[in-house]
Amino acid sequence: QELPETLGVFLDQGGSQRWAAESLGIHRNTLSYLLRQINTALPVNLDDSHTRLTLHVAVAIHRILTL
């Protein structure tokens, strides 16, 4: 559950690691570690804006379906 939440907050914060770490209440190094785990699980480029948009839509759908 930790990785999907981390990805969602990271995307909600426009891909800003600083803002995402603050929102999650974790250190930026911890966020970097979690983002590396996400990149391992989902071999995508989180620096690419199109990829982030696609993932953000997927996360939004997941959030709606799991209400």
Side-chain angles (χ1 to χ4, degrees), residues 4-65:
E5 178 186 353
T6 300
L7 178 60
V9 171
F10 174 72
L11 296 170
D12 290 343
Q13 298 301 325
S16 168
Q17 290 191 25
R18 181 176 62 102
W19 293 344
E22 287 178 15
S23 293
L24 290 165
I26 60 176
H27 194 275
R28 284 169 43 179
N29 289 345
T30 302
L31 177 63
S32 293
Y33 170 75
L34 293 170
L35 290 174
R36 284 194 304 274
Q37 286 189 311
I38 290 167
N39 262 342
T40 299
L42 300 172
V44 296
N45 181 4
L46 292 176
D47 293 327
D48 178 63
S49 60
H50 179 73
T51 299
R52 283 196 317 269
L53 174 62
T54 302
L55 287 172
H56 207 183
V57 170
V59 167
I61 291 169
H62 179 264
R63 287 173 174 164
I64 290 169
L65 293 176

